[in-house]
Amino acid sequence: MRADPIQRAIDEDLVRVLYAQDPIAFVSHWFSIVVLVAIYWAHMPSPHLFALCFGFYALANCGGLALWLWKRRHPDAVTPRTWVNLHALRGVLLYLAPGVSIWFAFQSQNTDLPLLHTVMLVTLAAGVFMSNGFDLLNFATAIPFLLLPAIALHFSEHTFDRTILAIVLAFFFCAINVYAVSYRKLFRRVVEARVDQQYLAESLAAQKLVAEEASLAKTRFFAAASHDLRQPLHAIGLLAASLNDGAAAPAQHAKTADHIVRNVEALNQLFNQVLDLARLESGVTQVIRLHFRLAELFERVGNQYRPQAAAKGLALRIAPTSMVAHGDPVLLERVLSNLLSNAVRYTEEGAIWMGLRRSGRRSGGYIEVRDSGIGIPLEEQERIFEEFYQVANPQRDARQGHGLGLPTVRRLVGLMGGELQVRSVPGRGSVFRFPVQAGDPDGIVSSLSDSAVGGASAEGRRVLCIDDDPSILEGLSSLLGRWGCIARGVPDEIQALRAVDEGFLPDAVLCDYQLANHRTGAEALSAVREALRHAGQPKVVTLLITGDMASPELEALAAQGIPVLHKPVTPARLRRTLESLWRQQGASSLQKVAAGNPDAAVPAGRDATVVGGHDYVP
């Protein structure tokens, strides 16, 4: 994955080192030209060829200087690898002349010239090793041209002295190549270490920036949340104190009590919105996909907001659709509720439209919510997804919401695998849309409009409650008793197993997540399910209740599809969850019977999770 960045760094370093020594090399080669011309001056064989060879040498040296000047003035004219290749081409031209020119020494009558020329070539080869040894291409285009002609000519003389010199030159040629290999490996390791260090520094800087941004966002979040939580608490405190005024009329007391109730409702709504965001951030919110009629979901959500829209003189239009969707109806209902709530809040006249658009998709489409409200400026369209940020509420009036709806919507849509899109023009309204998958009509289990609470499925059900808090056990037993259930409360796993041994075979098991003696509700439920299986009661609804928001164990349970409710759990939420789980369990059993497998059991906590992981409020 990182080969290209490392190779580019090597090429960049090669360019710097290769071209940094070119001015010195230019002077050195002119010195070599002067020395060689001087030693051949008295015994110059083939003067025309000699002049041609050393003229070529001089021009190549000047060409090398021109390349250096071009690189200095236009460093970005070509890529680093191209600069390296051009430098290698310059080496071919530059070292060809001195290497081949040793032929003149063997044509001369002066027997000392071959030795003197060879010394000069060895000196140049040593310089090549120092300046070009860390690049294979530049080294390979210089050393062979310098030394191989001399080695071949010395061997061709067939004298003892020349043969020994040829052997020494061959040994020098091999040794310099071996050392160059080690030189290149060392150079590469140094560059890789530098790149790794630079990569680590950049990674740490990026992580530091992310941490600082997260810390700043957390600070802003808590500052805004603190403000919005303190406001109703402050009002409740003042209003509650006014109730002690004995001189106030009963009508005034009733009005004060009504204000207290409304502030408590606002506080509870804000508290639930903050908990929703915390659950989404912690990863414990489950996506439970079902096949359902999209029109039923539209009608269900539309019925909630028609009165509010009518009170403002707005038309709420819902486009008819026959599409069967495959998704999480509970999470989709939350998304649409938040979008419609915003549309009603920020639209003063005109209409609100909700419906499905295919938009060229063969399977599924896009759910859209349109309004003719105030609109959102382009520069604000990303900030509206920040917690507690509101475009048209600088005074932070709680009656206009708290700025948590759209951040929740974006996270929910992302959790379901989609992307929330927004188009808006100030003064002309906004459009929010997100994708939805098409479902299978044969996969529909039940209608979304079925009333889970109004049925009699809780009547006569046996429910085992496990919680180490006596007050919670008492409250659960009383609540379940009013629903017609037969409830039994126990403080721990041991007492739950004892109840099963005594013949109490429950239809549902409610268990707190954090129990005494360092036991968890997941462990207790697993033990109870195993005991019930041996007792002949394999099909039982299980439900975990917890106040924990970010436990890794809860994330694992959510991934397994085990139903989890997060405190505070309202009675309506608890009953709807139980009713839905029981109804889904019964529907699954009927499907298995219809398929010719009447003895098949429904896996607890998996097939029976319709809304169990959602903390759904009807």
mmCIF file of all heavy atoms in Angstrom, residues 520-546:
data_model
loop_
_atom_site.group_PDB
_atom_site.id
_atom_site.type_symbol
_atom_site.label_atom_id
_atom_site.label_comp_id
_atom_site.label_asym_id
_atom_site.label_seq_id
_atom_site.Cartn_x
_atom_site.Cartn_y
_atom_site.Cartn_z
ATOM 1 N N THR A 520 -23.910 -10.366 34.614
ATOM 2 C CA THR A 520 -24.635 -9.525 33.671
ATOM 3 C C THR A 520 -25.959 -10.174 33.300
ATOM 4 O O THR A 520 -26.136 -11.400 33.432
ATOM 5 C CB THR A 520 -23.810 -9.301 32.387
ATOM 6 O OG1 THR A 520 -23.692 -10.545 31.686
ATOM 7 C CG2 THR A 520 -22.431 -8.748 32.699
ATOM 8 N N GLY A 521 -26.862 -9.334 32.808
ATOM 9 C CA GLY A 521 -28.159 -9.852 32.398
ATOM 10 C C GLY A 521 -28.044 -10.830 31.245
ATOM 11 O O GLY A 521 -28.840 -11.784 31.143
ATOM 12 N N ALA A 522 -27.042 -10.635 30.361
ATOM 13 C CA ALA A 522 -26.862 -11.559 29.245
ATOM 14 C C ALA A 522 -26.531 -12.953 29.747
ATOM 15 O O ALA A 522 -27.037 -13.965 29.234
ATOM 16 C CB ALA A 522 -25.757 -11.053 28.317
ATOM 17 N N GLU A 523 -25.683 -13.035 30.768
ATOM 18 C CA GLU A 523 -25.347 -14.336 31.352
ATOM 19 C C GLU A 523 -26.561 -14.965 32.020
ATOM 20 O O GLU A 523 -26.804 -16.177 31.897
ATOM 21 C CB GLU A 523 -24.209 -14.169 32.359
ATOM 22 C CG GLU A 523 -22.901 -13.721 31.736
ATOM 23 C CD GLU A 523 -21.856 -13.324 32.754
ATOM 24 O OE1 GLU A 523 -22.242 -12.859 33.849
ATOM 25 O OE2 GLU A 523 -20.659 -13.460 32.463
ATOM 26 N N ALA A 524 -27.339 -14.131 32.740
ATOM 27 C CA ALA A 524 -28.535 -14.649 33.415
ATOM 28 C C ALA A 524 -29.557 -15.158 32.405
ATOM 29 O O ALA A 524 -30.141 -16.236 32.578
ATOM 30 C CB ALA A 524 -29.139 -13.561 34.293
ATOM 31 N N LEU A 525 -29.775 -14.406 31.324
ATOM 32 C CA LEU A 525 -30.747 -14.826 30.316
ATOM 33 C C LEU A 525 -30.310 -16.123 29.637
ATOM 34 O O LEU A 525 -31.131 -16.996 29.336
ATOM 35 C CB LEU A 525 -30.924 -13.728 29.271
ATOM 36 C CG LEU A 525 -31.713 -12.497 29.708
ATOM 37 C CD1 LEU A 525 -31.781 -11.483 28.568
ATOM 38 C CD2 LEU A 525 -33.113 -12.869 30.150
ATOM 39 N N SER A 526 -29.011 -16.252 29.382
ATOM 40 C CA SER A 526 -28.516 -17.474 28.762
ATOM 41 C C SER A 526 -28.775 -18.682 29.647
ATOM 42 O O SER A 526 -29.218 -19.741 29.172
ATOM 43 C CB SER A 526 -27.016 -17.334 28.472
ATOM 44 O OG SER A 526 -26.491 -18.511 27.910
ATOM 45 N N ALA A 527 -28.536 -18.532 30.963
ATOM 46 C CA ALA A 527 -28.770 -19.638 31.891
ATOM 47 C C ALA A 527 -30.255 -19.972 31.997
ATOM 48 O O ALA A 527 -30.641 -21.148 32.030
ATOM 49 C CB ALA A 527 -28.198 -19.279 33.260
ATOM 50 N N VAL A 528 -31.101 -18.942 32.028
ATOM 51 C CA VAL A 528 -32.545 -19.172 32.141
ATOM 52 C C VAL A 528 -33.076 -19.843 30.875
ATOM 53 O O VAL A 528 -33.899 -20.762 30.936
ATOM 54 C CB VAL A 528 -33.279 -17.844 32.421
ATOM 55 C CG1 VAL A 528 -34.788 -18.020 32.292
ATOM 56 C CG2 VAL A 528 -32.920 -17.327 33.801
ATOM 57 N N ARG A 529 -32.615 -19.414 29.701
ATOM 58 C CA ARG A 529 -33.066 -20.036 28.449
ATOM 59 C C ARG A 529 -32.685 -21.516 28.404
ATOM 60 O O ARG A 529 -33.461 -22.360 27.954
ATOM 61 C CB ARG A 529 -32.467 -19.301 27.242
ATOM 62 C CG ARG A 529 -33.198 -18.032 26.878
ATOM 63 C CD ARG A 529 -32.886 -17.612 25.441
ATOM 64 N NE ARG A 529 -31.464 -17.360 25.255
ATOM 65 C CZ ARG A 529 -30.887 -16.166 25.335
ATOM 66 N NH1 ARG A 529 -31.617 -15.106 25.616
ATOM 67 N NH2 ARG A 529 -29.606 -16.026 25.141
ATOM 68 N N GLU A 530 -31.475 -21.820 28.887
ATOM 69 C CA GLU A 530 -31.048 -23.214 28.893
ATOM 70 C C GLU A 530 -31.908 -24.048 29.832
ATOM 71 O O GLU A 530 -32.310 -25.180 29.500
ATOM 72 C CB GLU A 530 -29.568 -23.283 29.309
ATOM 73 C CG GLU A 530 -28.967 -24.670 29.280
ATOM 74 C CD GLU A 530 -28.890 -25.262 27.879
ATOM 75 O OE1 GLU A 530 -28.952 -24.498 26.902
ATOM 76 O OE2 GLU A 530 -28.789 -26.507 27.777
ATOM 77 N N ALA A 531 -32.242 -23.471 31.016
ATOM 78 C CA ALA A 531 -33.092 -24.191 31.960
ATOM 79 C C ALA A 531 -34.492 -24.392 31.401
ATOM 80 O O ALA A 531 -35.096 -25.463 31.566
ATOM 81 C CB ALA A 531 -33.152 -23.421 33.284
ATOM 82 N N LEU A 532 -35.018 -23.373 30.716
ATOM 83 C CA LEU A 532 -36.351 -23.494 30.118
ATOM 84 C C LEU A 532 -36.360 -24.517 28.979
ATOM 85 O O LEU A 532 -37.348 -25.213 28.759
ATOM 86 C CB LEU A 532 -36.817 -22.127 29.610
ATOM 87 C CG LEU A 532 -37.192 -21.105 30.682
ATOM 88 C CD1 LEU A 532 -37.415 -19.737 30.072
ATOM 89 C CD2 LEU A 532 -38.448 -21.545 31.429
ATOM 90 N N ARG A 533 -35.259 -24.594 28.231
ATOM 91 C CA ARG A 533 -35.193 -25.576 27.155
ATOM 92 C C ARG A 533 -35.279 -26.996 27.707
ATOM 93 O O ARG A 533 -35.983 -27.855 27.158
ATOM 94 C CB ARG A 533 -33.893 -25.387 26.360
ATOM 95 C CG ARG A 533 -33.821 -26.225 25.092
ATOM 96 C CD ARG A 533 -32.528 -25.959 24.335
ATOM 97 N NE ARG A 533 -31.378 -26.427 25.110
ATOM 98 C CZ ARG A 533 -30.971 -27.710 25.118
ATOM 99 N NH1 ARG A 533 -31.622 -28.615 24.419
ATOM 100 N NH2 ARG A 533 -29.921 -28.056 25.824
ATOM 101 N N HIS A 534 -34.581 -27.226 28.822
ATOM 102 C CA HIS A 534 -34.644 -28.553 29.444
ATOM 103 C C HIS A 534 -36.015 -28.813 30.068
ATOM 104 O O HIS A 534 -36.433 -29.972 30.193
ATOM 105 C CB HIS A 534 -33.558 -28.693 30.518
ATOM 106 C CG HIS A 534 -32.184 -28.894 29.947
ATOM 107 N ND1 HIS A 534 -31.261 -27.882 29.843
ATOM 108 C CD2 HIS A 534 -31.578 -30.000 29.439
ATOM 109 C CE1 HIS A 534 -30.143 -28.339 29.300
ATOM 110 N NE2 HIS A 534 -30.302 -29.639 29.045
ATOM 111 N N ALA A 535 -36.704 -27.727 30.438
ATOM 112 C CA ALA A 535 -38.036 -27.882 31.054
ATOM 113 C C ALA A 535 -39.139 -27.970 29.990
ATOM 114 O O ALA A 535 -40.325 -28.011 30.349
ATOM 115 C CB ALA A 535 -38.309 -26.724 32.002
ATOM 116 N N GLY A 536 -38.774 -27.975 28.722
ATOM 117 C CA GLY A 536 -39.765 -28.092 27.659
ATOM 118 C C GLY A 536 -40.393 -26.789 27.244
ATOM 119 O O GLY A 536 -41.477 -26.777 26.645
ATOM 120 N N GLN A 537 -39.750 -25.630 27.533
ATOM 121 C CA GLN A 537 -40.268 -24.317 27.150
ATOM 122 C C GLN A 537 -39.183 -23.587 26.348
ATOM 123 O O GLN A 537 -38.543 -22.658 26.830
ATOM 124 C CB GLN A 537 -40.629 -23.511 28.424
ATOM 125 C CG GLN A 537 -41.148 -22.102 28.179
ATOM 126 C CD GLN A 537 -42.639 -22.068 27.950
ATOM 127 O OE1 GLN A 537 -43.248 -23.099 27.707
ATOM 128 N NE2 GLN A 537 -43.220 -20.903 28.030
ATOM 129 N N PRO A 538 -38.953 -24.023 25.082
ATOM 130 C CA PRO A 538 -37.839 -23.412 24.330
ATOM 131 C C PRO A 538 -38.154 -22.031 23.795
ATOM 132 O O PRO A 538 -37.254 -21.248 23.524
ATOM 133 C CB PRO A 538 -37.618 -24.408 23.185
ATOM 134 C CG PRO A 538 -38.966 -25.030 22.973
ATOM 135 C CD PRO A 538 -39.632 -25.089 24.322
ATOM 136 N N LYS A 539 -39.455 -21.718 23.601
ATOM 137 C CA LYS A 539 -39.830 -20.442 22.989
ATOM 138 C C LYS A 539 -40.232 -19.459 24.073
ATOM 139 O O LYS A 539 -41.317 -19.541 24.631
ATOM 140 C CB LYS A 539 -40.963 -20.648 21.985
ATOM 141 C CG LYS A 539 -40.567 -21.504 20.789
ATOM 142 C CD LYS A 539 -41.653 -21.575 19.746
ATOM 143 C CE LYS A 539 -42.815 -22.438 20.228
ATOM 144 N NZ LYS A 539 -43.833 -22.607 19.165
ATOM 145 N N VAL A 540 -39.324 -18.534 24.361
ATOM 146 C CA VAL A 540 -39.597 -17.526 25.377
ATOM 147 C C VAL A 540 -39.025 -16.193 24.902
ATOM 148 O O VAL A 540 -37.949 -16.136 24.305
ATOM 149 C CB VAL A 540 -38.986 -17.929 26.742
ATOM 150 C CG1 VAL A 540 -37.469 -18.070 26.629
ATOM 151 C CG2 VAL A 540 -39.352 -16.918 27.833
ATOM 152 N N VAL A 541 -39.775 -15.136 25.134
ATOM 153 C CA VAL A 541 -39.309 -13.791 24.790
ATOM 154 C C VAL A 541 -38.364 -13.302 25.876
ATOM 155 O O VAL A 541 -38.681 -13.410 27.071
ATOM 156 C CB VAL A 541 -40.510 -12.830 24.652
ATOM 157 C CG1 VAL A 541 -40.037 -11.381 24.636
ATOM 158 C CG2 VAL A 541 -41.281 -13.144 23.374
ATOM 159 N N THR A 542 -37.188 -12.808 25.499
ATOM 160 C CA THR A 542 -36.222 -12.267 26.460
ATOM 161 C C THR A 542 -35.964 -10.807 26.137
ATOM 162 O O THR A 542 -35.922 -10.413 24.974
ATOM 163 C CB THR A 542 -34.894 -13.044 26.411
ATOM 164 O OG1 THR A 542 -34.388 -13.010 25.087
ATOM 165 C CG2 THR A 542 -35.097 -14.492 26.840
ATOM 166 N N LEU A 543 -35.757 -10.018 27.181
ATOM 167 C CA LEU A 543 -35.601 -8.574 27.018
ATOM 168 C C LEU A 543 -34.640 -8.054 28.067
ATOM 169 O O LEU A 543 -34.840 -8.285 29.264
ATOM 170 C CB LEU A 543 -36.962 -7.889 27.147
ATOM 171 C CG LEU A 543 -37.052 -6.405 26.770
ATOM 172 C CD1 LEU A 543 -36.671 -6.183 25.326
ATOM 173 C CD2 LEU A 543 -38.468 -5.901 27.017
ATOM 174 N N LEU A 544 -33.591 -7.370 27.625
ATOM 175 C CA LEU A 544 -32.632 -6.742 28.534
ATOM 176 C C LEU A 544 -32.992 -5.277 28.727
ATOM 177 O O LEU A 544 -33.380 -4.594 27.775
ATOM 178 C CB LEU A 544 -31.218 -6.837 27.973
ATOM 179 C CG LEU A 544 -30.423 -8.114 28.266
ATOM 180 C CD1 LEU A 544 -29.086 -8.064 27.539
ATOM 181 C CD2 LEU A 544 -30.175 -8.283 29.756
ATOM 182 N N ILE A 545 -32.867 -4.807 29.966
ATOM 183 C CA ILE A 545 -33.119 -3.398 30.284
ATOM 184 C C ILE A 545 -31.862 -2.851 30.941
ATOM 185 O O ILE A 545 -31.337 -3.445 31.881
ATOM 186 C CB ILE A 545 -34.334 -3.243 31.219
ATOM 187 C CG1 ILE A 545 -35.573 -3.862 30.569
ATOM 188 C CG2 ILE A 545 -34.576 -1.778 31.544
ATOM 189 C CD1 ILE A 545 -36.800 -3.866 31.472
ATOM 190 N N THR A 546 -31.374 -1.716 30.439
ATOM 191 C CA THR A 546 -30.112 -1.201 30.953
ATOM 192 C C THR A 546 -30.093 0.319 30.916
ATOM 193 O O THR A 546 -30.822 0.950 30.137
ATOM 194 C CB THR A 546 -28.924 -1.745 30.122
ATOM 195 O OG1 THR A 546 -27.702 -1.234 30.644
ATOM 196 C CG2 THR A 546 -29.044 -1.317 28.666
#
